[in-house]
Amino acid sequence: MVLPLLLFAAVTWQVTAGGPLAEGDKRLAREMREDAPPTALAEFLADLGNIEVALPVLAAALAYAWVRGRRRSRRPPPAVAATAAAMAAVPLLVAPLKALTGRPGPLDGTGYFPSGHAATALVAYGAAALLVLPHVRARLRWARWALPAAAALVCAAVGAGLVWRGYHWPLDVLGSWCLGVPLLAAVLAASRASRGSGRRRPDPPGGS
């Protein structure tokens, strides 16, 4: 959790100070837009980071984990509460940082660092994979790597789409990923706690 936050601090410093990394960021963005895929595809990928798209996916994973978790315990699984807290933390972190940095966008306006869409996608799709993963059956071993890989691919596609369409600079996306990794780490820790509590033996009758 420390390394992503240190990287975020370094990226923020470069963005606000207009350092060499920020200049390279602008060059990379121009090159990506020149080699961008068709507009419809780039827009579709960027839209995967919209709340209207990402939250229903996360809500379905939350409902699935809750139902499966209630078979073991009457209390909501810790991962469900951790995921809800992580998702709620995204706007609470991103909005003030946008106001403080005031970074101009590739096309117009200010307040583009970090990217809210990239952070939403990372937490929503990443947490959805972490919620479902513990309930994958043993015979579906391929899903144990396919789910995280698919979440990572979607998040990368969202980031690329945002840059291709000129909605964000690459460092805006990277900064959001750095913020989102600690939030996902908390979800992962809670998911492991859920599995650990699910393996405990029930108290004997009459036990305290």
Side-chain angles (χ1 to χ4, degrees):
M1 295 176 67
V2 176
L3 289 178
L5 293 177
L6 290 176
L7 180 57
F8 176 79
V11 170
T12 303
W13 167 57
Q14 285 290 296
V15 166
T16 54
L21 192 60
E23 292 301 319
D25 182 45
K26 294 179 180 179
R27 289 194 297 271
L28 176 60
R30 287 194 292 268
E31 292 174 0
M32 290 183 64
R33 289 200 297 271
E34 290 174 358
D35 299 329
T39 300
L41 175 59
E43 186 72 25
F44 170 78
L45 296 177
D47 285 345
L48 293 178
N50 287 344
I51 292 178
E52 296 83 359
V53 179
L55 283 191
V57 174
L58 180 58
L62 281 168
Y64 177 77
W66 192 320
V67 171
R68 292 296 299 268
R70 285 179 67 87
R71 296 178 181 179
R72 300 175 180 176
S73 172
R74 294 182 179 179
R75 294 176 297 179
V80 170
T83 298
M87 198 69 247
V90 170
L92 296 178
L93 291 172
V94 170
L97 288 168
K98 283 178 176 289
L100 288 172
T101 57
R103 189 185 195 192
L107 302 180
D108 193 13
T110 58
Y112 282 78
F113 178 87
S115 166
H117 282 69
T120 297
L122 182 69
V123 174
Y125 298 120
L130 292 176
L131 287 169
V132 175
L133 202 57
H135 305 290
V136 173
R137 296 180 179 180
R139 65 174 179 269
L140 299 177
R141 293 181 180 179
W142 59 270
R144 296 186 181 276
W145 60 263
L147 283 174
L153 182 61
V154 171
C155 292
V158 170
L162 292 171
V163 177
W164 283 332
R165 292 293 294 130
Y167 296 146
H168 279 288
W169 306 105
L171 285 184
D172 299 343
V173 176
L174 178 60
S176 294
W177 289 347
C178 291
L179 283 179
V181 167
L183 297 177
L184 285 184
V187 175
L188 178 60
S191 178
R192 289 175 174 172
S194 298
R195 282 179 282 177
S197 62
R199 287 192 293 265
R200 294 174 186 171
R201 295 181 179 179
D203 293 331
S208 57

PDB file of all heavy atoms in Angstrom, residues 115-157:
ATOM      1  N   SER A 115      -7.982  11.128 -12.379  1.00  0.00           N
ATOM      2  CA  SER A 115      -9.176  10.807 -13.152  1.00  0.00           C
ATOM      3  C   SER A 115     -10.207  10.067 -12.304  1.00  0.00           C
ATOM      4  O   SER A 115      -9.923   8.998 -11.771  1.00  0.00           O
ATOM      5  CB  SER A 115      -8.798   9.943 -14.359  1.00  0.00           C
ATOM      6  OG  SER A 115      -9.941   9.356 -14.938  1.00  0.00           O
ATOM      7  N   GLY A 116     -11.397  10.627 -12.213  1.00  0.00           N
ATOM      8  CA  GLY A 116     -12.462   9.953 -11.481  1.00  0.00           C
ATOM      9  C   GLY A 116     -12.939   8.697 -12.179  1.00  0.00           C
ATOM     10  O   GLY A 116     -13.267   7.701 -11.532  1.00  0.00           O
ATOM     11  N   HIS A 117     -12.975   8.734 -13.512  1.00  0.00           N
ATOM     12  CA  HIS A 117     -13.408   7.556 -14.265  1.00  0.00           C
ATOM     13  C   HIS A 117     -12.445   6.394 -14.082  1.00  0.00           C
ATOM     14  O   HIS A 117     -12.866   5.246 -13.911  1.00  0.00           O
ATOM     15  CB  HIS A 117     -13.527   7.894 -15.755  1.00  0.00           C
ATOM     16  CG  HIS A 117     -14.771   8.637 -16.110  1.00  0.00           C
ATOM     17  ND1 HIS A 117     -14.997   9.928 -15.716  1.00  0.00           N
ATOM     18  CD2 HIS A 117     -15.865   8.268 -16.824  1.00  0.00           C
ATOM     19  CE1 HIS A 117     -16.182  10.329 -16.171  1.00  0.00           C
ATOM     20  NE2 HIS A 117     -16.733   9.339 -16.843  1.00  0.00           N
ATOM     21  N   ALA A 118     -11.139   6.684 -14.128  1.00  0.00           N
ATOM     22  CA  ALA A 118     -10.150   5.616 -13.958  1.00  0.00           C
ATOM     23  C   ALA A 118     -10.210   5.031 -12.556  1.00  0.00           C
ATOM     24  O   ALA A 118     -10.105   3.814 -12.367  1.00  0.00           O
ATOM     25  CB  ALA A 118      -8.755   6.145 -14.259  1.00  0.00           C
ATOM     26  N   ALA A 119     -10.382   5.887 -11.549  1.00  0.00           N
ATOM     27  CA  ALA A 119     -10.475   5.398 -10.172  1.00  0.00           C
ATOM     28  C   ALA A 119     -11.742   4.577  -9.962  1.00  0.00           C
ATOM     29  O   ALA A 119     -11.724   3.528  -9.301  1.00  0.00           O
ATOM     30  CB  ALA A 119     -10.447   6.573  -9.196  1.00  0.00           C
ATOM     31  N   THR A 120     -12.846   5.044 -10.526  1.00  0.00           N
ATOM     32  CA  THR A 120     -14.103   4.304 -10.414  1.00  0.00           C
ATOM     33  C   THR A 120     -13.982   2.931 -11.038  1.00  0.00           C
ATOM     34  O   THR A 120     -14.408   1.921 -10.462  1.00  0.00           O
ATOM     35  CB  THR A 120     -15.236   5.086 -11.090  1.00  0.00           C
ATOM     36  OG1 THR A 120     -15.438   6.329 -10.406  1.00  0.00           O
ATOM     37  CG2 THR A 120     -16.541   4.291 -11.069  1.00  0.00           C
ATOM     38  N   ALA A 121     -13.382   2.871 -12.223  1.00  0.00           N
ATOM     39  CA  ALA A 121     -13.226   1.588 -12.907  1.00  0.00           C
ATOM     40  C   ALA A 121     -12.347   0.644 -12.106  1.00  0.00           C
ATOM     41  O   ALA A 121     -12.674  -0.541 -11.946  1.00  0.00           O
ATOM     42  CB  ALA A 121     -12.634   1.811 -14.297  1.00  0.00           C
ATOM     43  N   LEU A 122     -11.222   1.137 -11.591  1.00  0.00           N
ATOM     44  CA  LEU A 122     -10.301   0.271 -10.861  1.00  0.00           C
ATOM     45  C   LEU A 122     -10.955  -0.328  -9.629  1.00  0.00           C
ATOM     46  O   LEU A 122     -10.871  -1.543  -9.388  1.00  0.00           O
ATOM     47  CB  LEU A 122      -9.057   1.056 -10.463  1.00  0.00           C
ATOM     48  CG  LEU A 122      -7.992   0.236  -9.729  1.00  0.00           C
ATOM     49  CD1 LEU A 122      -7.354  -0.770 -10.671  1.00  0.00           C
ATOM     50  CD2 LEU A 122      -6.935   1.135  -9.117  1.00  0.00           C
ATOM     51  N   VAL A 123     -11.616   0.508  -8.840  1.00  0.00           N
ATOM     52  CA  VAL A 123     -12.222   0.019  -7.608  1.00  0.00           C
ATOM     53  C   VAL A 123     -13.437  -0.854  -7.903  1.00  0.00           C
ATOM     54  O   VAL A 123     -13.610  -1.918  -7.294  1.00  0.00           O
ATOM     55  CB  VAL A 123     -12.601   1.201  -6.688  1.00  0.00           C
ATOM     56  CG1 VAL A 123     -13.359   0.706  -5.457  1.00  0.00           C
ATOM     57  CG2 VAL A 123     -11.344   1.955  -6.257  1.00  0.00           C
ATOM     58  N   ALA A 124     -14.271  -0.436  -8.841  1.00  0.00           N
ATOM     59  CA  ALA A 124     -15.496  -1.181  -9.123  1.00  0.00           C
ATOM     60  C   ALA A 124     -15.197  -2.558  -9.712  1.00  0.00           C
ATOM     61  O   ALA A 124     -15.649  -3.591  -9.204  1.00  0.00           O
ATOM     62  CB  ALA A 124     -16.401  -0.383 -10.056  1.00  0.00           C
ATOM     63  N   TYR A 125     -14.428  -2.592 -10.796  1.00  0.00           N
ATOM     64  CA  TYR A 125     -14.165  -3.873 -11.459  1.00  0.00           C
ATOM     65  C   TYR A 125     -13.175  -4.730 -10.665  1.00  0.00           C
ATOM     66  O   TYR A 125     -13.312  -5.948 -10.612  1.00  0.00           O
ATOM     67  CB  TYR A 125     -13.642  -3.628 -12.880  1.00  0.00           C
ATOM     68  CG  TYR A 125     -14.627  -2.915 -13.755  1.00  0.00           C
ATOM     69  CD1 TYR A 125     -14.333  -1.685 -14.340  1.00  0.00           C
ATOM     70  CD2 TYR A 125     -15.890  -3.460 -14.005  1.00  0.00           C
ATOM     71  CE1 TYR A 125     -15.246  -1.027 -15.138  1.00  0.00           C
ATOM     72  CE2 TYR A 125     -16.808  -2.808 -14.804  1.00  0.00           C
ATOM     73  CZ  TYR A 125     -16.481  -1.585 -15.371  1.00  0.00           C
ATOM     74  OH  TYR A 125     -17.400  -0.935 -16.157  1.00  0.00           O
ATOM     75  N   GLY A 126     -12.194  -4.080 -10.041  1.00  0.00           N
ATOM     76  CA  GLY A 126     -11.256  -4.834  -9.220  1.00  0.00           C
ATOM     77  C   GLY A 126     -11.926  -5.453  -8.016  1.00  0.00           C
ATOM     78  O   GLY A 126     -11.714  -6.634  -7.699  1.00  0.00           O
ATOM     79  N   ALA A 127     -12.760  -4.680  -7.321  1.00  0.00           N
ATOM     80  CA  ALA A 127     -13.464  -5.212  -6.156  1.00  0.00           C
ATOM     81  C   ALA A 127     -14.468  -6.281  -6.552  1.00  0.00           C
ATOM     82  O   ALA A 127     -14.656  -7.259  -5.822  1.00  0.00           O
ATOM     83  CB  ALA A 127     -14.170  -4.074  -5.415  1.00  0.00           C
ATOM     84  N   ALA A 128     -15.120  -6.113  -7.705  1.00  0.00           N
ATOM     85  CA  ALA A 128     -16.067  -7.131  -8.170  1.00  0.00           C
ATOM     86  C   ALA A 128     -15.363  -8.468  -8.349  1.00  0.00           C
ATOM     87  O   ALA A 128     -15.892  -9.528  -7.955  1.00  0.00           O
ATOM     88  CB  ALA A 128     -16.719  -6.683  -9.472  1.00  0.00           C
ATOM     89  N   ALA A 129     -14.166  -8.439  -8.931  1.00  0.00           N
ATOM     90  CA  ALA A 129     -13.411  -9.682  -9.111  1.00  0.00           C
ATOM     91  C   ALA A 129     -13.020 -10.284  -7.761  1.00  0.00           C
ATOM     92  O   ALA A 129     -13.113 -11.503  -7.559  1.00  0.00           O
ATOM     93  CB  ALA A 129     -12.166  -9.415  -9.951  1.00  0.00           C
ATOM     94  N   LEU A 130     -12.597  -9.443  -6.828  1.00  0.00           N
ATOM     95  CA  LEU A 130     -12.190  -9.937  -5.507  1.00  0.00           C
ATOM     96  C   LEU A 130     -13.369 -10.514  -4.731  1.00  0.00           C
ATOM     97  O   LEU A 130     -13.200 -11.459  -3.957  1.00  0.00           O
ATOM     98  CB  LEU A 130     -11.544  -8.808  -4.710  1.00  0.00           C
ATOM     99  CG  LEU A 130     -10.194  -8.298  -5.228  1.00  0.00           C
ATOM    100  CD1 LEU A 130      -9.723  -7.110  -4.394  1.00  0.00           C
ATOM    101  CD2 LEU A 130      -9.160  -9.409  -5.210  1.00  0.00           C
ATOM    102  N   LEU A 131     -14.560  -9.955  -4.938  1.00  0.00           N
ATOM    103  CA  LEU A 131     -15.738 -10.454  -4.238  1.00  0.00           C
ATOM    104  C   LEU A 131     -16.176 -11.819  -4.755  1.00  0.00           C
ATOM    105  O   LEU A 131     -16.598 -12.686  -3.981  1.00  0.00           O
ATOM    106  CB  LEU A 131     -16.891  -9.451  -4.386  1.00  0.00           C
ATOM    107  CG  LEU A 131     -16.785  -8.159  -3.581  1.00  0.00           C
ATOM    108  CD1 LEU A 131     -17.850  -7.170  -4.048  1.00  0.00           C
ATOM    109  CD2 LEU A 131     -16.934  -8.423  -2.089  1.00  0.00           C
ATOM    110  N   VAL A 132     -16.083 -12.004  -6.055  1.00  0.00           N
ATOM    111  CA  VAL A 132     -16.555 -13.245  -6.661  1.00  0.00           C
ATOM    112  C   VAL A 132     -15.523 -14.355  -6.538  1.00  0.00           C
ATOM    113  O   VAL A 132     -15.872 -15.536  -6.406  1.00  0.00           O
ATOM    114  CB  VAL A 132     -16.917 -12.997  -8.145  1.00  0.00           C
ATOM    115  CG1 VAL A 132     -17.286 -14.305  -8.842  1.00  0.00           C
ATOM    116  CG2 VAL A 132     -18.074 -11.998  -8.238  1.00  0.00           C
ATOM    117  N   LEU A 133     -14.256 -13.993  -6.535  1.00  0.00           N
ATOM    118  CA  LEU A 133     -13.174 -14.975  -6.579  1.00  0.00           C
ATOM    119  C   LEU A 133     -13.244 -16.043  -5.485  1.00  0.00           C
ATOM    120  O   LEU A 133     -13.057 -17.235  -5.780  1.00  0.00           O
ATOM    121  CB  LEU A 133     -11.830 -14.249  -6.517  1.00  0.00           C
ATOM    122  CG  LEU A 133     -10.611 -15.004  -7.057  1.00  0.00           C
ATOM    123  CD1 LEU A 133     -10.823 -15.411  -8.503  1.00  0.00           C
ATOM    124  CD2 LEU A 133      -9.362 -14.146  -6.920  1.00  0.00           C
ATOM    125  N   PRO A 134     -13.525 -15.696  -4.231  1.00  0.00           N
ATOM    126  CA  PRO A 134     -13.558 -16.734  -3.193  1.00  0.00           C
ATOM    127  C   PRO A 134     -14.654 -17.777  -3.392  1.00  0.00           C
ATOM    128  O   PRO A 134     -14.586 -18.860  -2.802  1.00  0.00           O
ATOM    129  CB  PRO A 134     -13.804 -15.939  -1.897  1.00  0.00           C
ATOM    130  CG  PRO A 134     -13.376 -14.560  -2.198  1.00  0.00           C
ATOM    131  CD  PRO A 134     -13.706 -14.350  -3.635  1.00  0.00           C
ATOM    132  N   HIS A 135     -15.651 -17.475  -4.202  1.00  0.00           N
ATOM    133  CA  HIS A 135     -16.784 -18.380  -4.385  1.00  0.00           C
ATOM    134  C   HIS A 135     -16.688 -19.194  -5.679  1.00  0.00           C
ATOM    135  O   HIS A 135     -17.628 -19.907  -6.023  1.00  0.00           O
ATOM    136  CB  HIS A 135     -18.087 -17.581  -4.374  1.00  0.00           C
ATOM    137  CG  HIS A 135     -18.258 -16.726  -3.146  1.00  0.00           C
ATOM    138  ND1 HIS A 135     -18.494 -17.265  -1.899  1.00  0.00           N
ATOM    139  CD2 HIS A 135     -18.187 -15.384  -2.981  1.00  0.00           C
ATOM    140  CE1 HIS A 135     -18.585 -16.283  -1.016  1.00  0.00           C
ATOM    141  NE2 HIS A 135     -18.401 -15.136  -1.636  1.00  0.00           N
ATOM    142  N   VAL A 136     -15.562 -19.068  -6.376  1.00  0.00           N
ATOM    143  CA  VAL A 136     -15.366 -19.840  -7.597  1.00  0.00           C
ATOM    144  C   VAL A 136     -15.145 -21.304  -7.234  1.00  0.00           C
ATOM    145  O   VAL A 136     -14.349 -21.622  -6.344  1.00  0.00           O
ATOM    146  CB  VAL A 136     -14.163 -19.297  -8.401  1.00  0.00           C
ATOM    147  CG1 VAL A 136     -13.865 -20.209  -9.584  1.00  0.00           C
ATOM    148  CG2 VAL A 136     -14.451 -17.881  -8.878  1.00  0.00           C
ATOM    149  N   ARG A 137     -15.835 -22.185  -7.900  1.00  0.00           N
ATOM    150  CA  ARG A 137     -15.715 -23.602  -7.596  1.00  0.00           C
ATOM    151  C   ARG A 137     -14.354 -24.142  -8.005  1.00  0.00           C
ATOM    152  O   ARG A 137     -13.706 -23.627  -8.909  1.00  0.00           O
ATOM    153  CB  ARG A 137     -16.823 -24.387  -8.302  1.00  0.00           C
ATOM    154  CG  ARG A 137     -18.222 -24.009  -7.810  1.00  0.00           C
ATOM    155  CD  ARG A 137     -19.283 -24.818  -8.535  1.00  0.00           C
ATOM    156  NE  ARG A 137     -20.623 -24.477  -8.054  1.00  0.00           N
ATOM    157  CZ  ARG A 137     -21.741 -25.027  -8.513  1.00  0.00           C
ATOM    158  NH1 ARG A 137     -21.674 -25.939  -9.480  1.00  0.00           N
ATOM    159  NH2 ARG A 137     -22.904 -24.654  -8.022  1.00  0.00           N
ATOM    160  N   ALA A 138     -13.948 -25.201  -7.331  1.00  0.00           N
ATOM    161  CA  ALA A 138     -12.611 -25.755  -7.551  1.00  0.00           C
ATOM    162  C   ALA A 138     -12.405 -26.200  -8.994  1.00  0.00           C
ATOM    163  O   ALA A 138     -11.305 -26.083  -9.536  1.00  0.00           O
ATOM    164  CB  ALA A 138     -12.371 -26.927  -6.599  1.00  0.00           C
ATOM    165  N   ARG A 139     -13.468 -26.708  -9.623  1.00  0.00           N
ATOM    166  CA  ARG A 139     -13.290 -27.208 -10.990  1.00  0.00           C
ATOM    167  C   ARG A 139     -13.160 -26.082 -12.007  1.00  0.00           C
ATOM    168  O   ARG A 139     -12.820 -26.330 -13.165  1.00  0.00           O
ATOM    169  CB  ARG A 139     -14.461 -28.124 -11.371  1.00  0.00           C
ATOM    170  CG  ARG A 139     -15.811 -27.444 -11.461  1.00  0.00           C
ATOM    171  CD  ARG A 139     -16.856 -28.419 -11.998  1.00  0.00           C
ATOM    172  NE  ARG A 139     -18.176 -27.851 -12.092  1.00  0.00           N
ATOM    173  CZ  ARG A 139     -19.094 -27.903 -11.139  1.00  0.00           C
ATOM    174  NH1 ARG A 139     -18.805 -28.513  -9.992  1.00  0.00           N
ATOM    175  NH2 ARG A 139     -20.287 -27.355 -11.304  1.00  0.00           N
ATOM    176  N   LEU A 140     -13.426 -24.867 -11.599  1.00  0.00           N
ATOM    177  CA  LEU A 140     -13.284 -23.711 -12.487  1.00  0.00           C
ATOM    178  C   LEU A 140     -11.998 -22.961 -12.144  1.00  0.00           C
ATOM    179  O   LEU A 140     -12.007 -21.749 -11.903  1.00  0.00           O
ATOM    180  CB  LEU A 140     -14.497 -22.789 -12.362  1.00  0.00           C
ATOM    181  CG  LEU A 140     -15.845 -23.394 -12.735  1.00  0.00           C
ATOM    182  CD1 LEU A 140     -16.963 -22.404 -12.493  1.00  0.00           C
ATOM    183  CD2 LEU A 140     -15.849 -23.863 -14.183  1.00  0.00           C
ATOM    184  N   ARG A 141     -10.907 -23.694 -12.130  1.00  0.00           N
ATOM    185  CA  ARG A 141      -9.646 -23.078 -11.739  1.00  0.00           C
ATOM    186  C   ARG A 141      -9.225 -21.956 -12.677  1.00  0.00           C
ATOM    187  O   ARG A 141      -8.557 -21.007 -12.261  1.00  0.00           O
ATOM    188  CB  ARG A 141      -8.556 -24.148 -11.699  1.00  0.00           C
ATOM    189  CG  ARG A 141      -8.763 -25.175 -10.585  1.00  0.00           C
ATOM    190  CD  ARG A 141      -7.649 -26.197 -10.579  1.00  0.00           C
ATOM    191  NE  ARG A 141      -7.846 -27.173  -9.514  1.00  0.00           N
ATOM    192  CZ  ARG A 141      -7.024 -28.206  -9.296  1.00  0.00           C
ATOM    193  NH1 ARG A 141      -5.967 -28.389 -10.072  1.00  0.00           N
ATOM    194  NH2 ARG A 141      -7.268 -29.048  -8.311  1.00  0.00           N
ATOM    195  N   TRP A 142      -9.606 -22.043 -13.946  1.00  0.00           N
ATOM    196  CA  TRP A 142      -9.238 -21.000 -14.901  1.00  0.00           C
ATOM    197  C   TRP A 142      -9.798 -19.640 -14.500  1.00  0.00           C
ATOM    198  O   TRP A 142      -9.207 -18.587 -14.800  1.00  0.00           O
ATOM    199  CB  TRP A 142      -9.727 -21.368 -16.301  1.00  0.00           C
ATOM    200  CG  TRP A 142     -11.226 -21.572 -16.365  1.00  0.00           C
ATOM    201  CD1 TRP A 142     -11.906 -22.724 -16.173  1.00  0.00           C
ATOM    202  CD2 TRP A 142     -12.215 -20.559 -16.604  1.00  0.00           C
ATOM    203  NE1 TRP A 142     -13.253 -22.523 -16.291  1.00  0.00           N
ATOM    204  CE2 TRP A 142     -13.466 -21.201 -16.563  1.00  0.00           C
ATOM    205  CE3 TRP A 142     -12.147 -19.200 -16.864  1.00  0.00           C
ATOM    206  CZ2 TRP A 142     -14.659 -20.501 -16.752  1.00  0.00           C
ATOM    207  CZ3 TRP A 142     -13.334 -18.504 -17.066  1.00  0.00           C
ATOM    208  CH2 TRP A 142     -14.566 -19.159 -17.010  1.00  0.00           C
ATOM    209  N   ALA A 143     -10.940 -19.658 -13.801  1.00  0.00           N
ATOM    210  CA  ALA A 143     -11.560 -18.394 -13.402  1.00  0.00           C
ATOM    211  C   ALA A 143     -10.755 -17.677 -12.327  1.00  0.00           C
ATOM    212  O   ALA A 143     -10.890 -16.460 -12.154  1.00  0.00           O
ATOM    213  CB  ALA A 143     -12.984 -18.634 -12.909  1.00  0.00           C
ATOM    214  N   ARG A 144      -9.911 -18.395 -11.610  1.00  0.00           N
ATOM    215  CA  ARG A 144      -9.142 -17.791 -10.532  1.00  0.00           C
ATOM    216  C   ARG A 144      -8.113 -16.797 -11.056  1.00  0.00           C
ATOM    217  O   ARG A 144      -7.736 -15.867 -10.349  1.00  0.00           O
ATOM    218  CB  ARG A 144      -8.461 -18.872  -9.690  1.00  0.00           C
ATOM    219  CG  ARG A 144      -9.455 -19.782  -8.978  1.00  0.00           C
ATOM    220  CD  ARG A 144      -8.769 -20.749  -8.034  1.00  0.00           C
ATOM    221  NE  ARG A 144      -9.734 -21.620  -7.387  1.00  0.00           N
ATOM    222  CZ  ARG A 144     -10.418 -21.304  -6.302  1.00  0.00           C
ATOM    223  NH1 ARG A 144     -10.235 -20.124  -5.743  1.00  0.00           N
ATOM    224  NH2 ARG A 144     -11.281 -22.145  -5.772  1.00  0.00           N
ATOM    225  N   TRP A 145      -7.654 -17.002 -12.280  1.00  0.00           N
ATOM    226  CA  TRP A 145      -6.768 -16.017 -12.893  1.00  0.00           C
ATOM    227  C   TRP A 145      -7.502 -15.194 -13.942  1.00  0.00           C
ATOM    228  O   TRP A 145      -7.113 -14.051 -14.226  1.00  0.00           O
ATOM    229  CB  TRP A 145      -5.551 -16.702 -13.519  1.00  0.00           C
ATOM    230  CG  TRP A 145      -5.879 -17.699 -14.606  1.00  0.00           C
ATOM    231  CD1 TRP A 145      -5.996 -19.041 -14.484  1.00  0.00           C
ATOM    232  CD2 TRP A 145      -6.137 -17.395 -15.993  1.00  0.00           C
ATOM    233  NE1 TRP A 145      -6.309 -19.609 -15.696  1.00  0.00           N
ATOM    234  CE2 TRP A 145      -6.391 -18.628 -16.651  1.00  0.00           C
ATOM    235  CE3 TRP A 145      -6.155 -16.218 -16.731  1.00  0.00           C
ATOM    236  CZ2 TRP A 145      -6.691 -18.699 -18.008  1.00  0.00           C
ATOM    237  CZ3 TRP A 145      -6.444 -16.292 -18.089  1.00  0.00           C
ATOM    238  CH2 TRP A 145      -6.706 -17.525 -18.715  1.00  0.00           C
ATOM    239  N   ALA A 146      -8.581 -15.755 -14.505  1.00  0.00           N
ATOM    240  CA  ALA A 146      -9.298 -15.039 -15.552  1.00  0.00           C
ATOM    241  C   ALA A 146     -10.035 -13.814 -15.006  1.00  0.00           C
ATOM    242  O   ALA A 146     -10.082 -12.762 -15.660  1.00  0.00           O
ATOM    243  CB  ALA A 146     -10.284 -15.975 -16.253  1.00  0.00           C
ATOM    244  N   LEU A 147     -10.619 -13.926 -13.812  1.00  0.00           N
ATOM    245  CA  LEU A 147     -11.356 -12.797 -13.240  1.00  0.00           C
ATOM    246  C   LEU A 147     -10.442 -11.592 -12.969  1.00  0.00           C
ATOM    247  O   LEU A 147     -10.747 -10.474 -13.421  1.00  0.00           O
ATOM    248  CB  LEU A 147     -12.078 -13.228 -11.965  1.00  0.00           C
ATOM    249  CG  LEU A 147     -13.358 -14.046 -12.157  1.00  0.00           C
ATOM    250  CD1 LEU A 147     -13.894 -14.527 -10.813  1.00  0.00           C
ATOM    251  CD2 LEU A 147     -14.418 -13.211 -12.871  1.00  0.00           C
ATOM    252  N   PRO A 148      -9.330 -11.773 -12.238  1.00  0.00           N
ATOM    253  CA  PRO A 148      -8.437 -10.618 -12.047  1.00  0.00           C
ATOM    254  C   PRO A 148      -7.867 -10.090 -13.359  1.00  0.00           C
ATOM    255  O   PRO A 148      -7.718  -8.873 -13.528  1.00  0.00           O
ATOM    256  CB  PRO A 148      -7.330 -11.182 -11.143  1.00  0.00           C
ATOM    257  CG  PRO A 148      -7.933 -12.362 -10.476  1.00  0.00           C
ATOM    258  CD  PRO A 148      -8.881 -12.943 -11.469  1.00  0.00           C
ATOM    259  N   ALA A 149      -7.548 -11.005 -14.291  1.00  0.00           N
ATOM    260  CA  ALA A 149      -7.003 -10.566 -15.575  1.00  0.00           C
ATOM    261  C   ALA A 149      -8.029  -9.734 -16.345  1.00  0.00           C
ATOM    262  O   ALA A 149      -7.689  -8.714 -16.957  1.00  0.00           O
ATOM    263  CB  ALA A 149      -6.567 -11.771 -16.395  1.00  0.00           C
ATOM    264  N   ALA A 150      -9.291 -10.170 -16.316  1.00  0.00           N
ATOM    265  CA  ALA A 150     -10.342  -9.423 -17.016  1.00  0.00           C
ATOM    266  C   ALA A 150     -10.544  -8.048 -16.386  1.00  0.00           C
ATOM    267  O   ALA A 150     -10.717  -7.046 -17.104  1.00  0.00           O
ATOM    268  CB  ALA A 150     -11.645 -10.218 -16.981  1.00  0.00           C
ATOM    269  N   ALA A 151     -10.513  -7.982 -15.051  1.00  0.00           N
ATOM    270  CA  ALA A 151     -10.661  -6.687 -14.377  1.00  0.00           C
ATOM    271  C   ALA A 151      -9.517  -5.753 -14.737  1.00  0.00           C
ATOM    272  O   ALA A 151      -9.733  -4.562 -15.016  1.00  0.00           O
ATOM    273  CB  ALA A 151     -10.726  -6.900 -12.870  1.00  0.00           C
ATOM    274  N   ALA A 152      -8.294  -6.285 -14.751  1.00  0.00           N
ATOM    275  CA  ALA A 152      -7.138  -5.455 -15.106  1.00  0.00           C
ATOM    276  C   ALA A 152      -7.220  -4.984 -16.556  1.00  0.00           C
ATOM    277  O   ALA A 152      -6.893  -3.829 -16.866  1.00  0.00           O
ATOM    278  CB  ALA A 152      -5.849  -6.246 -14.879  1.00  0.00           C
ATOM    279  N   LEU A 153      -7.693  -5.861 -17.435  1.00  0.00           N
ATOM    280  CA  LEU A 153      -7.815  -5.502 -18.845  1.00  0.00           C
ATOM    281  C   LEU A 153      -8.847  -4.394 -19.044  1.00  0.00           C
ATOM    282  O   LEU A 153      -8.626  -3.451 -19.815  1.00  0.00           O
ATOM    283  CB  LEU A 153      -8.197  -6.734 -19.658  1.00  0.00           C
ATOM    284  CG  LEU A 153      -8.326  -6.537 -21.174  1.00  0.00           C
ATOM    285  CD1 LEU A 153      -6.993  -6.082 -21.758  1.00  0.00           C
ATOM    286  CD2 LEU A 153      -8.787  -7.831 -21.844  1.00  0.00           C
ATOM    287  N   VAL A 154      -9.970  -4.497 -18.350  1.00  0.00           N
ATOM    288  CA  VAL A 154     -11.010  -3.473 -18.465  1.00  0.00           C
ATOM    289  C   VAL A 154     -10.497  -2.131 -17.953  1.00  0.00           C
ATOM    290  O   VAL A 154     -10.715  -1.082 -18.580  1.00  0.00           O
ATOM    291  CB  VAL A 154     -12.277  -3.893 -17.701  1.00  0.00           C
ATOM    292  CG1 VAL A 154     -13.272  -2.742 -17.632  1.00  0.00           C
ATOM    293  CG2 VAL A 154     -12.929  -5.097 -18.381  1.00  0.00           C
ATOM    294  N   CYS A 155      -9.791  -2.156 -16.825  1.00  0.00           N
ATOM    295  CA  CYS A 155      -9.262  -0.912 -16.264  1.00  0.00           C
ATOM    296  C   CYS A 155      -8.241  -0.274 -17.211  1.00  0.00           C
ATOM    297  O   CYS A 155      -8.232   0.951 -17.397  1.00  0.00           O
ATOM    298  CB  CYS A 155      -8.617  -1.180 -14.910  1.00  0.00           C
ATOM    299  SG  CYS A 155      -9.792  -1.660 -13.627  1.00  0.00           S
ATOM    300  N   ALA A 156      -7.387  -1.108 -17.808  1.00  0.00           N
ATOM    301  CA  ALA A 156      -6.423  -0.584 -18.770  1.00  0.00           C
ATOM    302  C   ALA A 156      -7.132  -0.010 -19.996  1.00  0.00           C
ATOM    303  O   ALA A 156      -6.730   1.035 -20.530  1.00  0.00           O
ATOM    304  CB  ALA A 156      -5.460  -1.690 -19.185  1.00  0.00           C
ATOM    305  N   ALA A 157      -8.200  -0.672 -20.433  1.00  0.00           N
ATOM    306  CA  ALA A 157      -8.965  -0.191 -21.587  1.00  0.00           C
ATOM    307  C   ALA A 157      -9.629   1.140 -21.288  1.00  0.00           C
ATOM    308  O   ALA A 157      -9.673   2.043 -22.136  1.00  0.00           O
ATOM    309  CB  ALA A 157     -10.009  -1.228 -21.989  1.00  0.00           C
TER     310      ALA A 157
END
